[in-house]
Amino acid sequence: QVQLVESGGGLVQPGGSLRLSCAASGSSGSMYAMGWSRQAPGKQRELVATITRGGNLNYADSVKGRFTISRDNAKNTVYLQMNSLKPEDTAVYYCYAQKLVGSTYWGQGTQVTVSS
């Protein structure tokens, strides 16, 4: 079974930066798509960023220009570089990985808190 291990969450001041990492293990091949979603209290779960095996990118409007997603296909690892962080970025961030066939897996989530 596929398991996702996330790291990099924490507390940061507004305007600061964090880098999230997520590695998929237990799979037989490279994931087609990997990315991040987030869930803040009182808000709908939101897709933050996605990257495919071929490097196609997709970002939520709220993070464009501030966040950068990247991946290492050989390691089945995805990264989220978060710059110019705002208090409204505070949320639990969840990593996901999707196989080409359609199976999707989710990490347990990591807390990101942006506060002065």
Side-chain angles (χ1 to χ4, degrees), residues 2 26-33 97-105:
V2 172
S27 61
S28 59
S30 178
M31 295 293 179
Y32 170 70
Q98 184 177 44
K99 294 184 177 179
L100 183 60
V101 172
S103 298
T104 303
Y105 308 90

Side-chain angles (χ1 to χ4, degrees), residues 38-54:
R38 65 187 181 186
Q39 181 82 59
K43 292 186 177 181
Q44 182 181 351
R45 196 180 195 184
E46 175 187 34
L47 182 66
V48 176
T50 299
I51 183 168
T52 68
R53 245 183 349 230

Side-chain angles (χ1 to χ4, degrees), residues 61-81:
D61 289 340
S62 58
V63 306
K64 286 181 179 177
R66 300 187 298 117
F67 291 10
T68 303
I69 190 169
S70 60
R71 65 181 287 173
D72 184 329
N73 290 337
K75 296 181 178 180
N76 272 334
T77 300
V78 64
Y79 308 91
L80 186 67
Q81 179 66 47

Side-chain angles (χ1 to χ4, degrees), residues 2-6 22 35-38 45-47 94-97 104-109:
V2 172
Q3 194 161 4
L4 303 181
V5 180
E6 301 157 310
C22 175
W36 300 86
S37 67
R38 65 187 181 186
R45 196 180 195 184
E46 175 187 34
L47 182 66
Y94 298 91
C95 173
Y96 81 87
T104 303
Y105 308 90
W106 294 90
Q108 76 281 3

